[in-house]
Amino acid sequence: MIQAQRKLLTFAEFTQCKPEDGRYELHDGVIIKMPQPLGGHEEVIGFLVTKLVVEYERLQLPYFIPKTALVKPPENESAYSADILLLNRQNLINEPLWQKQSTVVYGASVPLIVEVVSTNWRDDYFKKRGEYEAIGIQEYWLVDYAALGGREFIGKPKQATILIFSLDEGEYQVKKFQGDDLIQSPTFPELILTAQQIFQAGNITP
């Protein structure tokens, strides 16, 4: 029996037919419905958004965090809805898709992006990591507060972990933070925040 192939969508088609009943991404032409996040997942996002907003306002940086904007790799038909997307207002004038589709394609528009890991953890650890690196996003946080990722990343036994990827000559270099480790953010070097404080926001003991 021959199975019918799924029709792959372009990004333009995705923006026109994307359902309105939830959060969706486009992965190589396939629409992916993102799972409803757990309460702890939402609490971690809320905690981090508050900390980041306070920091960029203190430094008077031209940043903001949109609600539903997308990040599109330029080389394929994908589009990602990050948990936290920090944008630089000053570069949006250069973004061809911003005004009509609230989508960015240039790394210069994204000082920092954060994914809080859920059950589809492989997307965050592998697919999105590679795509964000290719786009040129300077800093990518992977917040695995529930210790869902592979042991090669978060240890054995698994521990709640934050991985911070920072761009160096076009490639990500990674640092790992657990427990009382003080977060080291290239974008916000004066940020005083431990991994444990972030985990506590999700009511998870590392």
Side-chain angles (χ1 to χ4, degrees), residues 3 12 26 29 39 41 52 62 65 71 78 88 100 126 130-131 139-140 158 169 180 182 184 194 199-200 206:
Q3 291 184 335
L26 186 68
H41 184 280
L52 294 174
I65 298 174
V71 177
S78 296
N88 183 345
K100 292 186 177 180
F126 297 106
E131 297 281 21
E139 186 172 348
Y140 171 35
K158 293 184 177 183
E169 297 184 355
D180 292 325
L182 189 66
Q184 299 174 28
T194 67
F199 303 144
Q200 285 177 338

Side-chain angles (χ1 to χ4, degrees), residues 50-111:
T50 299
K51 294 295 183 181
L52 294 174
V53 169
V54 168
E55 191 66 5
Y56 70 66
E57 287 190 343
R58 182 183 72 84
L59 296 171
Q60 298 183 325
L61 296 170
Y63 297 165
F64 75 105
I65 298 174
K67 182 180 179 183
T68 56
L70 297 171
V71 177
K72 182 189 181 306
E75 302 299 326
N76 59 40
E77 300 301 331
S78 296
Y80 303 119
S81 173
D83 287 317
I84 302 174
L85 175 62
L86 185 66
L87 293 182
N88 183 345
R89 279 193 178 89
Q90 294 181 343
N91 200 64
L92 294 181
I93 192 172
N94 301 314
E95 290 286 353
L97 303 176
W98 177 251
Q99 288 300 327
K100 292 186 177 180
Q101 294 163 320
S102 60
T103 297
V104 295
V105 298
Y106 296 130
S109 300
V110 187

Side-chain angles (χ1 to χ4, degrees), residues 118-136:
S118 54
T119 52
N120 57 340
W121 63 269
R122 288 178 176 82
D123 285 342
D124 296 329
Y125 274 91
F126 297 106
K127 186 175 185 62
K128 291 183 180 180
R129 171 188 171 183
E131 297 281 21
Y132 294 159
E133 180 183 70
I135 293 169

Side-chain angles (χ1 to χ4, degrees), residues 19 21-25 30-36 120:
D21 63 340
R23 183 175 162 218
Y24 291 82
E25 295 185 335
V30 178
I31 293 181
I32 304 294
K33 183 173 185 179
M34 308 307 289
Q36 176 65 27
N120 57 340

